[in-house]
Structure formats: structure tokens, C-alpha cells
Amino acid sequence: MDVFTTKSGSVRGRRATRDRGIVAVLGLPYAAPPFGRLRFRAPHPAEPWDGVRDCTAFGPVAPQSAELPGAPSWSPGDEDILTLNVWSPADGPGDLPVLVWLHGGAYVFGSSAQPDFDGTALAGRGLVVVTLNSRLGFEGFGHVPDAASGVPVPDADSGDTALPDNRGLLDQIAALEWVRDNISAFGGSPDRVTLAGQSSGATSVACLTVAGRARGLFRRAVLHSAVNAFATVEQAARTTAEVAAAAGVPATRAGLLAAPPEALVAATDQVCERYAQDPGSGQRHYDPAIYGPVADGVLLTADPSEALAAGAGGTVELLVCHTTEEYWLLDAVGSSAKITSEEQLAAFAADFGLSEPLVEGHRERLPGAPVLDVYLSLHSGLLFAEYSTRLAEAHALAGGRVFLARFDRRRDRAGQRVRAWHCADIPFAFGNLHEESVHFLVGGPPGAADQELSRRMTRAWAGFAAQGDPGWAPLDGPAGSGATVRDWRTAEEPAGAEHGFRDLWRAAGLPLLAP
């Protein structure tokens, strides 16, 4: 029987469908449901249980409006959302390295139940894989006025009424504490934990790397396509005012607590849509994501890039990757503004303070490209690629050990170009190319060369998690200056021209953005 004993009680998992040598334990609570008297509070310990809890299905997802392929959607009343999943070798030797995964989704959507994140293949590489759900949207990142930021609430009945900022990050810390206390029961070592994430999940990893409260909970970190978005308390408070107005409630503690989760989800969607429809609304018009980590002065004091430069990453080893055509995905799914005229491109540059040499440099290195492609290339660097690279460089210059990679797998298929865009790298790294739900991301069913690339990428993650060695040399200077950077592509693909933008960004500088 695949039964494991945790601090809260015993759980029963099931054998993975693809590999009967792997046990999957799904929907295991690491904290109490964050609603009712625990709403907007720091995570509270899960209640223990008697007997053996059946953990053979994913738990509910966090409140959101998204409906993602192959994953469950959220319904009002789904409250037991702070759960995690564990994949481990059934006959593992124990003391195995652990990889904990934080999904992306602009801090408002996504879940650990997405087929992209099935941990079977990585567990087959000798890892114990943990994926988790945490609070999203306003529940996880909305600022509650007069909140005492960053203060944990050990007992909601004690009279402590703190409603901290960064509740989603506090959930992730609680999950890491669960791993520390329980993962040995699944054959994992609490001293060999790697924290990994993509997009907003990668920026969450960066935040926890520099957060004192997370120190010692992981020794290595993997960041794919970290997003350039970090808010001050004042900026977060303005977002709260907008969301509260859309929900028809006062922007107060009492008003927000009175609004049910579905009302704040709907209000968030209304605010985002308003920005998307208003070309004069500034930076949020182009990519209306309104939540993110907050510099609350307790958990976080500075953007992770600044904190890493100051040495806050300590001895944590980093593996950082971005794709070479990040923003083309957001255009393809319709979540980005369509910038097709020179006038619109000039307004975009002005809204973000991008210099004329930076814009013209991109245009020159994309000869014959339409305005839209120049915009997408600029936005790729602004929001993801350049920010990720600077996180790596900042940690390396502060004395940290860092490995840098770029995902550059692309091809022409059925007369259409398959881009190396945002999210395309993750099914390769997890070894889940067979999942039909990821075929949009990777451009259809995989070929033999794709499978070989996936094997190399899963091997790199496993090697980094186990020994701190993904298979290439660590960063020894600024990226693009001859320093070692791994380019992930199939053997049949040439290098892409997108690698030629680094010198432009170094000369121009990168503005740090707020969500």
C-alpha cells in the first residue's frame, strides 16, 4: 500500500499512470482553508486527521476566472485550496533531492493540477517532486488597508487581527515549511530542496530567495522567465481602491472582507479589461496584470534584482532561464495590446521610458519585420528576458553561484512559425511533451528531436537539484560578453538573432516595473 505518515496524519497515494514505479500523492493539505475567520490572514496550520486520508486527486484551485486545458476550474465554495502534491520513486533509497514547483499565471490564474506540471518524469530522474497551490489574485496579493504587513497569525482566536501583504508568498513559505517537516516520509531530504518556478512563479522564487523568513528552507533555485513586476505599498493600495470600486464595496478592511471571493475575482477582471481597452491608461494598457509582490517592509524590502545585488541571496545557487521570443505567446492568446503602427510603438516606448537607440536597435536587428514584431521583441526583454538575465548577473556579481540558459527551440511547421515563446520551455523541462494540452505551447505533437531536447532539459534540472551541476559552467561575467550560457534547442536548429539584443539593453538600462 502506498501510505505515508505526515505530521498531520497518514495519506494514501496512487501509482502514476505513465510510470508504475512512481507514487503520486495529490491534494495533501499543507495549511488550513484561508477563508472565513482566516480570510486575508497568514496561513494557519492544517487540522490533523485520524485514519488514512485518500490523496489520489488534485485539490481545488485558488479563486480565479481562468479555465485552463486539462485542469480543474474554480467554483465559489471551493475553499480547501492550500494543498500540495508529491511524486516520489516507490522504491527510492531515501535522502533524495527535492524539487518544489511554483506555477505561473500573472498571480491571478493557474494551478498545480495543470498537465504541464505532472512530476512523473522528473521523479523518474531520482527527484521527489512537490507542486502546490497558493492564494492568487486579491486573496493572495491584494493590499488590505491598515494591514500589519508580514506578521504571522499563529492563532486566529488569539485576538491578533493582522492581515498581511504578500499572502501568496506566505503560503509558499508555509508549503516549504511543510516540506522541511514532512518530506523525509516520502524519501526526500529536507536539506536538499530546490525551489523552482516560471513567470510569476519564478519571481516568487526570486522573492523567497531574498526573504529572511524563507532562509534555510531551500538551497538551490530555478527561475524560468521571471517577470519584471514589483509594487510598493502605495501602488498596491491604489490597485485595491480600483478593485473595491469595481466590486461596489468600500476599500476598507470591513468592506473587502464583506465581498465574497467571486466578487473580487470579477472586479479584478473588470479592472484589467478597462486598462486593456484604454490606450491612454499607461503601462497597464499593454499587459493588464495588476497584482504582484509588495515591498511591505517586513517580508520584502526591495525588488529582488536590487536585493540580490546587495547579497541577500546568500549561498543559494541559481539556475536562470528565459525564452528568446517570450512575448509572442501573450500576443497569440490575445492578452497583449496590438501595437501595429509607428504611432503606437512610440507611445509604448514613451510609457515605459524606453530610449530611441533601444527601439531603433531592435528595428535594425529585425530587418523587414512589422512594427508588431519590434514591439513584441522589446516587450519580451522588458518584462521577462532582460529582467531574468539581470537577476542572474546580480547574484553572480554579489558572489553567488549562477547558471544561465536560454530556450531557443523554434521551427516552421505547416507553413507557420513555432516560436520559442513564454511557457514553451516548461513541458520540455518537466518531460511532459506527450500531454495533448501542451501542444499549443510547443507547436503540435513532438518529434524525436523534441523528445531528445526534453531529455537533456530534465537531466539538467535533475543534475542541478542533486549536485548543483546542470551540465555547463556557471556564469563568470555579464551574459552576452562571452560568459557561458546554455542555449536549449534541437540539434537541427540554428541560433536565433534574438540573442543580439543584450548589448542594447545594457546600454539603455532596464526600468523596474510595477504590476
Side-chain angles (χ1 to χ4, degrees), residues 253-288:
R253 179 188 300 240
L256 293 162
L257 283 168
E262 58 268 28
L264 296 184
V265 168
T268 294
D269 288 346
Q270 291 174 31
V271 172
C272 291
E273 182 61 21
R274 200 156 55 234
Y275 279 112
Q277 296 301 321
D278 182 5
S281 59
Q283 294 182 1
R284 283 184 171 176
H285 167 65
Y286 304 93
D287 182 17

mmCIF file of all heavy atoms in Angstrom, residues 253-288:
data_model
loop_
_atom_site.group_PDB
_atom_site.id
_atom_site.type_symbol
_atom_site.label_atom_id
_atom_site.label_comp_id
_atom_site.label_asym_id
_atom_site.label_seq_id
_atom_site.Cartn_x
_atom_site.Cartn_y
_atom_site.Cartn_z
ATOM 1 N N ARG A 253 -10.928 47.375 5.354
ATOM 2 C CA ARG A 253 -10.858 46.005 5.839
ATOM 3 C C ARG A 253 -12.239 45.369 5.868
ATOM 4 O O ARG A 253 -12.454 44.277 5.336
ATOM 5 C CB ARG A 253 -10.237 46.020 7.234
ATOM 6 C CG ARG A 253 -10.121 44.665 7.891
ATOM 7 C CD ARG A 253 -9.682 44.813 9.355
ATOM 8 N NE ARG A 253 -8.398 45.462 9.455
ATOM 9 C CZ ARG A 253 -7.324 44.909 10.008
ATOM 10 N NH1 ARG A 253 -7.400 43.684 10.491
ATOM 11 N NH2 ARG A 253 -6.193 45.568 10.097
ATOM 12 N N ALA A 254 -13.191 46.057 6.450
ATOM 13 C CA ALA A 254 -14.549 45.507 6.568
ATOM 14 C C ALA A 254 -15.203 45.350 5.202
ATOM 15 O O ALA A 254 -15.878 44.345 4.926
ATOM 16 C CB ALA A 254 -15.393 46.397 7.466
ATOM 17 N N GLY A 255 -15.025 46.353 4.330
ATOM 18 C CA GLY A 255 -15.631 46.287 3.012
ATOM 19 C C GLY A 255 -15.100 45.125 2.195
ATOM 20 O O GLY A 255 -15.868 44.400 1.546
ATOM 21 N N LEU A 256 -13.794 44.916 2.225
ATOM 22 C CA LEU A 256 -13.195 43.843 1.438
ATOM 23 C C LEU A 256 -13.540 42.473 2.007
ATOM 24 O O LEU A 256 -13.777 41.513 1.261
ATOM 25 C CB LEU A 256 -11.681 44.046 1.381
ATOM 26 C CG LEU A 256 -11.255 45.297 0.589
ATOM 27 C CD1 LEU A 256 -9.830 45.684 0.916
ATOM 28 C CD2 LEU A 256 -11.421 45.065 -0.905
ATOM 29 N N LEU A 257 -13.582 42.358 3.330
ATOM 30 C CA LEU A 257 -13.968 41.086 3.933
ATOM 31 C C LEU A 257 -15.420 40.742 3.625
ATOM 32 O O LEU A 257 -15.791 39.567 3.552
ATOM 33 C CB LEU A 257 -13.748 41.134 5.448
ATOM 34 C CG LEU A 257 -12.303 40.977 5.921
ATOM 35 C CD1 LEU A 257 -12.182 41.348 7.400
ATOM 36 C CD2 LEU A 257 -11.808 39.554 5.683
ATOM 37 N N ALA A 258 -16.246 41.761 3.418
ATOM 38 C CA ALA A 258 -17.660 41.520 3.106
ATOM 39 C C ALA A 258 -17.871 41.067 1.669
ATOM 40 O O ALA A 258 -18.914 40.489 1.347
ATOM 41 C CB ALA A 258 -18.465 42.786 3.374
ATOM 42 N N ALA A 259 -16.912 41.327 0.802
ATOM 43 C CA ALA A 259 -17.040 40.931 -0.603
ATOM 44 C C ALA A 259 -16.624 39.472 -0.747
ATOM 45 O O ALA A 259 -15.508 39.101 -0.396
ATOM 46 C CB ALA A 259 -16.161 41.814 -1.478
ATOM 47 N N PRO A 260 -17.475 38.598 -1.260
ATOM 48 C CA PRO A 260 -17.084 37.193 -1.427
ATOM 49 C C PRO A 260 -15.958 37.066 -2.453
ATOM 50 O O PRO A 260 -15.757 37.953 -3.289
ATOM 51 C CB PRO A 260 -18.369 36.526 -1.910
ATOM 52 C CG PRO A 260 -19.167 37.621 -2.524
ATOM 53 C CD PRO A 260 -18.836 38.866 -1.746
ATOM 54 N N PRO A 261 -15.207 35.979 -2.409
ATOM 55 C CA PRO A 261 -14.083 35.821 -3.346
ATOM 56 C C PRO A 261 -14.481 35.993 -4.803
ATOM 57 O O PRO A 261 -13.752 36.612 -5.583
ATOM 58 C CB PRO A 261 -13.596 34.398 -3.061
ATOM 59 C CG PRO A 261 -13.972 34.146 -1.639
ATOM 60 C CD PRO A 261 -15.277 34.868 -1.449
ATOM 61 N N GLU A 262 -15.666 35.470 -5.185
ATOM 62 C CA GLU A 262 -16.063 35.579 -6.587
ATOM 63 C C GLU A 262 -16.288 37.032 -7.008
ATOM 64 O O GLU A 262 -16.075 37.392 -8.168
ATOM 65 C CB GLU A 262 -17.308 34.741 -6.871
ATOM 66 C CG GLU A 262 -18.532 35.097 -6.036
ATOM 67 C CD GLU A 262 -18.634 34.280 -4.753
ATOM 68 O OE1 GLU A 262 -17.580 33.845 -4.234
ATOM 69 O OE2 GLU A 262 -19.767 34.067 -4.278
ATOM 70 N N ALA A 263 -16.702 37.879 -6.057
ATOM 71 C CA ALA A 263 -16.895 39.291 -6.375
ATOM 72 C C ALA A 263 -15.553 39.973 -6.652
ATOM 73 O O ALA A 263 -15.443 40.813 -7.554
ATOM 74 C CB ALA A 263 -17.622 39.995 -5.233
ATOM 75 N N LEU A 264 -14.510 39.617 -5.891
ATOM 76 C CA LEU A 264 -13.206 40.222 -6.113
ATOM 77 C C LEU A 264 -12.538 39.663 -7.368
ATOM 78 O O LEU A 264 -11.786 40.374 -8.038
ATOM 79 C CB LEU A 264 -12.322 40.007 -4.884
ATOM 80 C CG LEU A 264 -12.817 40.687 -3.603
ATOM 81 C CD1 LEU A 264 -11.817 40.507 -2.469
ATOM 82 C CD2 LEU A 264 -13.090 42.178 -3.844
ATOM 83 N N VAL A 265 -12.818 38.406 -7.703
ATOM 84 C CA VAL A 265 -12.332 37.859 -8.974
ATOM 85 C C VAL A 265 -12.963 38.621 -10.136
ATOM 86 O O VAL A 265 -12.273 39.049 -11.070
ATOM 87 C CB VAL A 265 -12.645 36.353 -9.082
ATOM 88 C CG1 VAL A 265 -12.407 35.851 -10.496
ATOM 89 C CG2 VAL A 265 -11.800 35.551 -8.091
ATOM 90 N N ALA A 266 -14.278 38.813 -10.089
ATOM 91 C CA ALA A 266 -14.973 39.533 -11.164
ATOM 92 C C ALA A 266 -14.515 40.984 -11.239
ATOM 93 O O ALA A 266 -14.333 41.535 -12.329
ATOM 94 C CB ALA A 266 -16.481 39.455 -10.949
ATOM 95 N N ALA A 267 -14.325 41.617 -10.086
ATOM 96 C CA ALA A 267 -13.870 43.009 -10.060
ATOM 97 C C ALA A 267 -12.471 43.138 -10.642
ATOM 98 O O ALA A 267 -12.167 44.091 -11.382
ATOM 99 C CB ALA A 267 -13.912 43.541 -8.633
ATOM 100 N N THR A 268 -11.608 42.180 -10.327
ATOM 101 C CA THR A 268 -10.258 42.181 -10.894
ATOM 102 C C THR A 268 -10.324 42.091 -12.409
ATOM 103 O O THR A 268 -9.630 42.837 -13.120
ATOM 104 C CB THR A 268 -9.450 41.005 -10.323
ATOM 105 O OG1 THR A 268 -9.252 41.203 -8.921
ATOM 106 C CG2 THR A 268 -8.097 40.877 -11.009
ATOM 107 N N ASP A 269 -11.154 41.207 -12.931
ATOM 108 C CA ASP A 269 -11.292 41.087 -14.384
ATOM 109 C C ASP A 269 -11.806 42.390 -14.999
ATOM 110 O O ASP A 269 -11.355 42.791 -16.087
ATOM 111 C CB ASP A 269 -12.249 39.943 -14.721
ATOM 112 C CG ASP A 269 -11.649 38.569 -14.445
ATOM 113 O OD1 ASP A 269 -10.424 38.478 -14.248
ATOM 114 O OD2 ASP A 269 -12.424 37.585 -14.420
ATOM 115 N N GLN A 270 -12.715 43.068 -14.322
ATOM 116 C CA GLN A 270 -13.246 44.331 -14.835
ATOM 117 C C GLN A 270 -12.159 45.401 -14.901
ATOM 118 O O GLN A 270 -12.047 46.138 -15.893
ATOM 119 C CB GLN A 270 -14.388 44.813 -13.945
ATOM 120 C CG GLN A 270 -15.652 43.976 -14.017
ATOM 121 C CD GLN A 270 -16.681 44.437 -13.001
ATOM 122 O OE1 GLN A 270 -16.753 45.620 -12.655
ATOM 123 N NE2 GLN A 270 -17.477 43.495 -12.494
ATOM 124 N N VAL A 271 -11.347 45.482 -13.850
ATOM 125 C CA VAL A 271 -10.271 46.478 -13.830
ATOM 126 C C VAL A 271 -9.267 46.194 -14.941
ATOM 127 O O VAL A 271 -8.840 47.104 -15.667
ATOM 128 C CB VAL A 271 -9.581 46.493 -12.453
ATOM 129 C CG1 VAL A 271 -8.334 47.382 -12.487
ATOM 130 C CG2 VAL A 271 -10.546 46.987 -11.382
ATOM 131 N N CYS A 272 -8.888 44.935 -15.104
ATOM 132 C CA CYS A 272 -7.937 44.572 -16.158
ATOM 133 C C CYS A 272 -8.492 44.890 -17.539
ATOM 134 O O CYS A 272 -7.774 45.409 -18.410
ATOM 135 C CB CYS A 272 -7.587 43.093 -16.055
ATOM 136 S SG CYS A 272 -6.603 42.652 -14.596
ATOM 137 N N GLU A 273 -9.757 44.583 -17.756
ATOM 138 C CA GLU A 273 -10.361 44.848 -19.057
ATOM 139 C C GLU A 273 -10.432 46.349 -19.339
ATOM 140 O O GLU A 273 -10.247 46.785 -20.492
ATOM 141 C CB GLU A 273 -11.762 44.237 -19.115
ATOM 142 C CG GLU A 273 -12.484 44.408 -20.444
ATOM 143 C CD GLU A 273 -11.766 43.760 -21.606
ATOM 144 O OE1 GLU A 273 -10.928 42.851 -21.376
ATOM 145 O OE2 GLU A 273 -12.034 44.150 -22.758
ATOM 146 N N ARG A 274 -10.681 47.139 -18.321
ATOM 147 C CA ARG A 274 -10.724 48.588 -18.501
ATOM 148 C C ARG A 274 -9.362 49.116 -18.970
ATOM 149 O O ARG A 274 -9.283 49.968 -19.869
ATOM 150 C CB ARG A 274 -11.144 49.250 -17.187
ATOM 151 C CG ARG A 274 -11.684 50.666 -17.365
ATOM 152 C CD ARG A 274 -12.602 51.069 -16.220
ATOM 153 N NE ARG A 274 -11.966 50.923 -14.919
ATOM 154 C CZ ARG A 274 -12.478 50.230 -13.904
ATOM 155 N NH1 ARG A 274 -13.629 49.613 -14.050
ATOM 156 N NH2 ARG A 274 -11.872 50.163 -12.746
ATOM 157 N N TYR A 275 -8.285 48.627 -18.387
ATOM 158 C CA TYR A 275 -6.956 49.032 -18.838
ATOM 159 C C TYR A 275 -6.694 48.562 -20.272
ATOM 160 O O TYR A 275 -6.134 49.303 -21.085
ATOM 161 C CB TYR A 275 -5.880 48.461 -17.906
ATOM 162 C CG TYR A 275 -5.691 49.252 -16.640
ATOM 163 C CD1 TYR A 275 -6.046 48.722 -15.404
ATOM 164 C CD2 TYR A 275 -5.140 50.537 -16.681
ATOM 165 C CE1 TYR A 275 -5.873 49.450 -14.233
ATOM 166 C CE2 TYR A 275 -4.956 51.273 -15.520
ATOM 167 C CZ TYR A 275 -5.332 50.723 -14.297
ATOM 168 O OH TYR A 275 -5.152 51.460 -13.143
ATOM 169 N N ALA A 276 -7.098 47.339 -20.569
ATOM 170 C CA ALA A 276 -6.856 46.806 -21.907
ATOM 171 C C ALA A 276 -7.563 47.629 -22.980
ATOM 172 O O ALA A 276 -7.052 47.768 -24.100
ATOM 173 C CB ALA A 276 -7.318 45.347 -21.976
ATOM 174 N N GLN A 277 -8.714 48.191 -22.651
ATOM 175 C CA GLN A 277 -9.499 48.948 -23.620
ATOM 176 C C GLN A 277 -9.119 50.423 -23.708
ATOM 177 O O GLN A 277 -9.634 51.138 -24.557
ATOM 178 C CB GLN A 277 -10.987 48.828 -23.282
ATOM 179 C CG GLN A 277 -11.535 47.408 -23.387
ATOM 180 C CD GLN A 277 -11.379 46.823 -24.764
ATOM 181 O OE1 GLN A 277 -11.557 47.508 -25.768
ATOM 182 N NE2 GLN A 277 -11.024 45.545 -24.830
ATOM 183 N N ASP A 278 -8.214 50.887 -22.844
ATOM 184 C CA ASP A 278 -7.878 52.312 -22.772
ATOM 185 C C ASP A 278 -6.417 52.539 -23.151
ATOM 186 O O ASP A 278 -5.521 52.401 -22.318
ATOM 187 C CB ASP A 278 -8.129 52.836 -21.361
ATOM 188 C CG ASP A 278 -7.848 54.336 -21.244
ATOM 189 O OD1 ASP A 278 -7.543 54.979 -22.273
ATOM 190 O OD2 ASP A 278 -7.920 54.856 -20.108
ATOM 191 N N PRO A 279 -6.129 52.900 -24.403
ATOM 192 C CA PRO A 279 -4.738 53.128 -24.822
ATOM 193 C C PRO A 279 -4.058 54.267 -24.069
ATOM 194 O O PRO A 279 -2.825 54.349 -24.067
ATOM 195 C CB PRO A 279 -4.868 53.465 -26.313
ATOM 196 C CG PRO A 279 -6.192 52.917 -26.722
ATOM 197 C CD PRO A 279 -7.073 53.057 -25.516
ATOM 198 N N GLY A 280 -4.833 55.114 -23.423
ATOM 199 C CA GLY A 280 -4.247 56.223 -22.689
ATOM 200 C C GLY A 280 -3.992 55.925 -21.225
ATOM 201 O O GLY A 280 -3.667 56.836 -20.454
ATOM 202 N N SER A 281 -4.111 54.678 -20.831
ATOM 203 C CA SER A 281 -4.004 54.336 -19.405
ATOM 204 C C SER A 281 -2.591 54.021 -18.951
ATOM 205 O O SER A 281 -2.378 53.610 -17.810
ATOM 206 C CB SER A 281 -4.927 53.164 -19.077
ATOM 207 O OG SER A 281 -4.601 52.022 -19.854
ATOM 208 N N GLY A 282 -1.601 54.193 -19.831
ATOM 209 C CA GLY A 282 -0.217 53.999 -19.414
ATOM 210 C C GLY A 282 0.230 52.551 -19.515
ATOM 211 O O GLY A 282 -0.252 51.783 -20.344
ATOM 212 N N GLN A 283 1.163 52.182 -18.650
ATOM 213 C CA GLN A 283 1.832 50.891 -18.764
ATOM 214 C C GLN A 283 0.873 49.702 -18.680
ATOM 215 O O GLN A 283 1.065 48.687 -19.357
ATOM 216 C CB GLN A 283 2.904 50.772 -17.683
ATOM 217 C CG GLN A 283 4.056 51.759 -17.861
ATOM 218 C CD GLN A 283 5.135 51.589 -16.806
ATOM 219 O OE1 GLN A 283 5.044 50.724 -15.940
ATOM 220 N NE2 GLN A 283 6.152 52.429 -16.867
ATOM 221 N N ARG A 284 -0.159 49.808 -17.860
ATOM 222 C CA ARG A 284 -1.062 48.668 -17.703
ATOM 223 C C ARG A 284 -1.887 48.370 -18.942
ATOM 224 O O ARG A 284 -2.436 47.277 -19.070
ATOM 225 C CB ARG A 284 -1.987 48.894 -16.510
ATOM 226 C CG ARG A 284 -1.323 48.653 -15.163
ATOM 227 C CD ARG A 284 -2.305 48.796 -14.024
ATOM 228 N NE ARG A 284 -1.742 48.359 -12.753
ATOM 229 C CZ ARG A 284 -2.374 48.446 -11.591
ATOM 230 N NH1 ARG A 284 -3.612 48.962 -11.550
ATOM 231 N NH2 ARG A 284 -1.798 48.019 -10.488
ATOM 232 N N HIS A 285 -1.960 49.308 -19.876
ATOM 233 C CA HIS A 285 -2.727 49.049 -21.093
ATOM 234 C C HIS A 285 -2.143 47.894 -21.888
ATOM 235 O O HIS A 285 -2.886 47.093 -22.473
ATOM 236 C CB HIS A 285 -2.758 50.306 -21.971
ATOM 237 C CG HIS A 285 -3.248 50.055 -23.363
ATOM 238 N ND1 HIS A 285 -4.534 49.654 -23.634
ATOM 239 C CD2 HIS A 285 -2.600 50.113 -24.574
ATOM 240 C CE1 HIS A 285 -4.682 49.495 -24.951
ATOM 241 N NE2 HIS A 285 -3.529 49.758 -25.529
ATOM 242 N N TYR A 286 -0.824 47.774 -21.908
ATOM 243 C CA TYR A 286 -0.168 46.812 -22.781
ATOM 244 C C TYR A 286 -0.232 45.390 -22.236
ATOM 245 O O TYR A 286 -0.249 44.426 -22.995
ATOM 246 C CB TYR A 286 1.286 47.244 -23.001
ATOM 247 C CG TYR A 286 1.383 48.641 -23.543
ATOM 248 C CD1 TYR A 286 1.539 49.734 -22.682
ATOM 249 C CD2 TYR A 286 1.258 48.886 -24.909
ATOM 250 C CE1 TYR A 286 1.593 51.030 -23.166
ATOM 251 C CE2 TYR A 286 1.308 50.185 -25.412
ATOM 252 C CZ TYR A 286 1.471 51.250 -24.533
ATOM 253 O OH TYR A 286 1.505 52.534 -25.019
ATOM 254 N N ASP A 287 -0.245 45.255 -20.940
ATOM 255 C CA ASP A 287 -0.276 43.936 -20.304
ATOM 256 C C ASP A 287 -0.971 44.110 -18.954
ATOM 257 O O ASP A 287 -0.312 44.263 -17.923
ATOM 258 C CB ASP A 287 1.145 43.405 -20.128
ATOM 259 C CG ASP A 287 1.168 42.012 -19.524
ATOM 260 O OD1 ASP A 287 0.128 41.331 -19.543
ATOM 261 O OD2 ASP A 287 2.237 41.599 -19.034
ATOM 262 N N PRO A 288 -2.298 44.115 -18.940
ATOM 263 C CA PRO A 288 -3.024 44.493 -17.716
ATOM 264 C C PRO A 288 -2.994 43.419 -16.628
ATOM 265 O O PRO A 288 -3.989 42.759 -16.333
ATOM 266 C CB PRO A 288 -4.439 44.756 -18.231
ATOM 267 C CG PRO A 288 -4.555 43.926 -19.463
ATOM 268 C CD PRO A 288 -3.196 43.890 -20.075
#
